Amino acid sequence: MDGVGSFGAGRAGAAFDPIAFIQQPQTILRILSWIFSMVVFGSIINEGYINHGSERLYCVFNKNNNACNYGTTIGLIAFLACIFFVILDIKFQQISSIKDRKKAVMLDIGFSGFWAFLWFVCFCFLANQWQRTTSDELPLNQGADAARAAITFSFFSIFTWAGLTVRAVQKYMLGTDMTLFTTEHMDGNPPVQPYPTGPSTEPNDTYQSPPFTENLDSNAPTYQVPIY
């Protein structure tokens, strides 16, 4: 990792460098994932349905609408998630709380790893249904290019999201450089200003006994009650 500080980012409030941000491997992987997801759900939505022999539209993947629905859903959510995480990456260095940074990295790890698995399932599902599709179901090879594009970029998406997972794990393992943060950054609370200190007004003398409590003379005569 080329980042320093807390979870791969420097001191909170540092200036944002767009050139350095775009050149980061994590940003490149997110852009590729965004493009691949757009190709998958775009191909299925535009050319993934045919109406061979009827007015009803059928999915090109063996007329299995579940295959088209799964690919479209996974691709669309991945498309939106890439936009969200790019914004989060831009704002990440402005997060002053270490706990909030840790939560953001853990969210990235969980989502990226889970979506890499879903892309693997998507690739296997679409490839299996495409193998079962006969030429009679696709007159003039209608929708074949869209189906192949969806399968191909589903396969590519497995590696981009797996790469994002690895990068997020590296950021998490990098930990925190505690010298970049103060106590209020660690707990997420604003700093508490101490009371102003002035010259001490406390008396320097020690505690004095109250009056009339001095040690009495043991030899002093005591008062005798008269007897009548």
Side-chain angles (χ1 to χ4, degrees):
M1 295 290 293
D2 51 0
V4 293
S6 175
F7 300 103
R11 183 185 297 272
F16 175 73
D17 187 356
I19 303 300
F21 175 76
I22 295 176
Q23 293 176 348
Q24 291 179 359
Q26 182 172 340
T27 305
I28 297 175
L29 288 173
R30 292 208 193 280
I31 295 176
L32 291 176
S33 299
W34 180 74
I35 296 174
F36 294 165
S37 62
M38 183 169 51
V39 172
V40 172
F41 81 82
S43 299
I44 296 176
I45 291 177
N46 292 331
E47 301 181 13
Y49 293 90
I50 59 175
N51 55 349
H52 175 54
S54 66
E55 296 181 355
R56 182 179 178 182
L57 294 176
Y58 292 96
C59 179
V60 295
F61 295 98
N62 195 29
K63 294 185 177 180
N64 188 349
N65 290 332
N66 292 330
C68 288
N69 293 336
Y70 183 84
T72 302
T73 303
I74 296 301
L76 183 59
I77 296 177
F79 175 82
L80 298 176
C82 288
I83 298 176
F84 169 78
F85 280 106
V86 166
I87 297 175
L88 182 61
D89 291 340
I90 294 175
K91 299 294 184 180
F92 187 79
Q93 189 164 327
Q94 306 302 322
I95 300 176
S96 59
S97 173
I98 295 178
K99 293 182 179 180
D100 292 340
R101 286 193 178 190
K102 183 178 180 180
K103 292 178 182 178
V105 174
M106 293 181 65
L107 175 63
D108 193 3
I109 294 174
F111 187 90
S112 299
F114 182 60
W115 231 251
F117 170 75
L118 292 183
W119 276 122
F120 174 76
V121 175
C122 182
F123 167 74
C124 295
F125 189 20
L126 296 182
N128 176 264
Q129 294 300 309
W130 181 246
Q131 288 179 349
R132 297 183 179 184
T133 304
T134 62
S135 58
D136 297 336
E137 297 175 350
L138 300 177
L140 301 177
N141 216 22
Q142 183 179 2
D145 293 338
R148 295 189 185 97
I151 294 174
T152 301
F153 286 94
S154 295
F155 179 75
F156 292 159
S157 296
I158 299 173
F159 297 98
T160 57
W161 284 93
L164 288 172
T165 305
V166 173
R167 295 293 298 182
V169 171
Q170 290 177 344
K171 289 175 63 176
Y172 183 82
M173 296 181 63
L174 189 63
T176 302
D177 184 0
M178 304 304 295
T179 60
L180 299 179
F181 293 84
T182 56
T183 304
E184 64 270 11
H185 290 151
M186 296 176 59
D187 54 16
N189 297 324
V192 179
Q193 297 295 335
Y195 291 103
T197 58
S200 177
T201 57
E202 296 182 357
N204 295 327
D205 54 348
T206 58
Y207 174 77
Q208 296 180 353
S209 299
F212 307 108
T213 57
E214 300 292 340
N215 294 331
L216 299 177
D217 188 1
S218 59
N219 296 326
T222 59
Y223 176 73
Q224 298 292 334
V225 179
I227 301 175
Y228 299 97

